[in-house]
Amino acid sequence: CERIVDKLQEHRAKALAISMQEPQSGYCAHLTSLVAELRCQHEELERAPAGSALNPELATERRRRRQLRQRCFLQIVATLAELGDVDLIHKIQRLSFRQRLKKLEDHLETLERTAQSAPMHSAELVSQP
């Protein structure tokens, strides 16, 4: 229970720090780093030696890596929820991790394009009579 409370407090502190900045860009930057971390964890797990049925130490290590990958994914889900991307959460939850990564990276590209075009639109509105 104490670890859960600690994790929630840590998450709240990060969310508060992000909201003090420009919220949308802060969450997007945080999401970008989490997706990169998820990719690394997934690739490490894919590279991990098979044969865990024969070696209990390998089985324990693979389990630990899967848990780390799942924790990272849950942080991504929380960040997406804070951004209001609930539809994306529903879409990716049943996918494999490889497919989740692809969808998340596509979503990040869309967010980046939107962020780049937003200042242009506001500048256009200011210059119009």
Side-chain angles (χ1 to χ4, degrees), residues 17-74:
I18 288 171
S19 67
M20 297 297 226
Q21 305 166 359
E22 187 176 324
Q24 192 74 11
S25 66
Y27 281 117
C28 290
H30 185 60
L31 184 61
T32 300
S33 68
L34 286 172
V35 170
E37 182 181 337
L38 183 65
R39 173 158 297 288
C40 288
Q41 290 175 350
H42 178 68
E43 288 173 354
E44 283 179 14
L45 188 58
E46 292 289 307
R47 285 192 305 264
S52 56
L54 303 174
N55 187 339
E57 290 176 13
L58 286 176
T60 302
E61 179 61 20
R62 284 187 65 81
R63 187 177 320 111
R64 185 187 70 77
R65 288 178 189 226
R66 279 194 307 272
Q67 289 171 343
L68 288 173
R69 182 181 67 178
Q70 185 63 25
R71 277 191 208 133
C72 183
F73 178 69
L74 291 174

